[in-house]
Amino acid sequence: MAVPEILQNFDLEDWKAYIGPAAGVLAGLAALLVGLYLSARRQRGQSSGGAKVEKHADNDAKDPFTQGAKRERRSALRRGGNAVPILISDAAVRSAPSHGWVIDRSTGGLKLAVNDSMAPGTILSVRTSNAPQAIPWVQLEVKSCRQLGKEYELGCQFVRTPPWSVLLLFG
């Protein structure tokens, strides 16, 4: 069998310097092609396992965590956290304060756990139990009241949004 002329003059020593970079370029091209292939599969609605991803009837499918649920009416995101003890009084802070807890908060209002039922529309004044005397009372309007066991859960909205420094005291 005759060896082609180009291979007769082939000297591996001359090409050793090019083998490493050539292998790197080939590996990079292979990775790019695999990435493009997987990306195209995802855009067609298939996962890498070959199972079809369920498409929603409305193409406006939103993530309720980042964009809010469709039935969500709040304009401010709320968050839980540790329950914070509070004092609750009437709108003018004339009655003796009762005790309660902040169980949920947002920049728009507070959810309170209290011992007594209160009618929606009632204006309350609240402050944290450990607040210094210089911290003002914050007014809330009761928007909802529901009984949970022996306690009541009040959904309240700030009459005027308090300064950030006061808001932080509620957790």
Side-chain angles (χ1 to χ4, degrees):
M1 188 159 141
V3 178
E5 184 178 330
I6 194 165
L7 291 178
Q8 289 176 353
N9 297 330
F10 182 75
D11 186 10
L12 188 59
E13 292 297 321
D14 293 339
W15 291 93
K16 279 186 180 177
Y18 299 107
I19 291 175
V25 168
L26 288 174
L29 284 173
L32 178 66
L33 291 174
V34 167
L36 289 173
Y37 173 74
L38 293 176
S39 175
R41 285 186 69 170
R42 280 193 185 157
Q43 288 177 356
R44 285 192 311 256
Q46 295 179 340
S47 67
S48 59
K52 291 277 184 188
V53 174
E54 182 180 327
K55 294 201 176 198
H56 297 282
D58 61 341
N59 289 334
D60 292 340
K62 295 180 180 178
D63 182 4
F65 181 74
T66 58
Q67 298 173 351
K70 288 182 181 180
R71 68 177 193 263
E72 182 67 55
R73 297 184 317 198
R74 289 175 187 83
S75 60
L77 294 175
R78 63 181 171 165
R79 62 181 187 81
N82 294 334
V84 176
I86 58 168
L87 299 173
I88 304 168
S89 186
D90 60 0
V93 194
R94 292 190 183 129
S95 66
S98 60
H99 294 275
W101 297 88
V102 173
I103 54 176
D104 199 348
R105 71 271 300 146
S106 76
T107 56
L110 303 172
K111 186 190 311 181
L112 309 177
V114 297
N115 292 326
D116 300 315
S117 174
M118 295 188 194
T122 304
I123 303 295
L124 305 173
S125 294
V126 298
R127 63 184 290 169
T128 58
S129 296
N130 59 357
Q133 291 298 322
I135 300 297
W137 289 78
V138 175
Q139 286 192 329
L140 296 170
E141 180 181 354
V142 176
K143 293 293 190 176
S144 66
C145 178
R146 68 179 181 159
Q147 188 170 4
L148 294 175
K150 294 181 181 179
E151 294 184 332
Y152 292 88
E153 186 178 271
L154 304 179
C156 300
Q157 182 178 13
F158 291 118
V159 173
R160 281 180 296 284
T161 304
W164 187 249
S165 58
V166 174
L167 196 58
L168 288 175
L169 295 173
F170 294 108

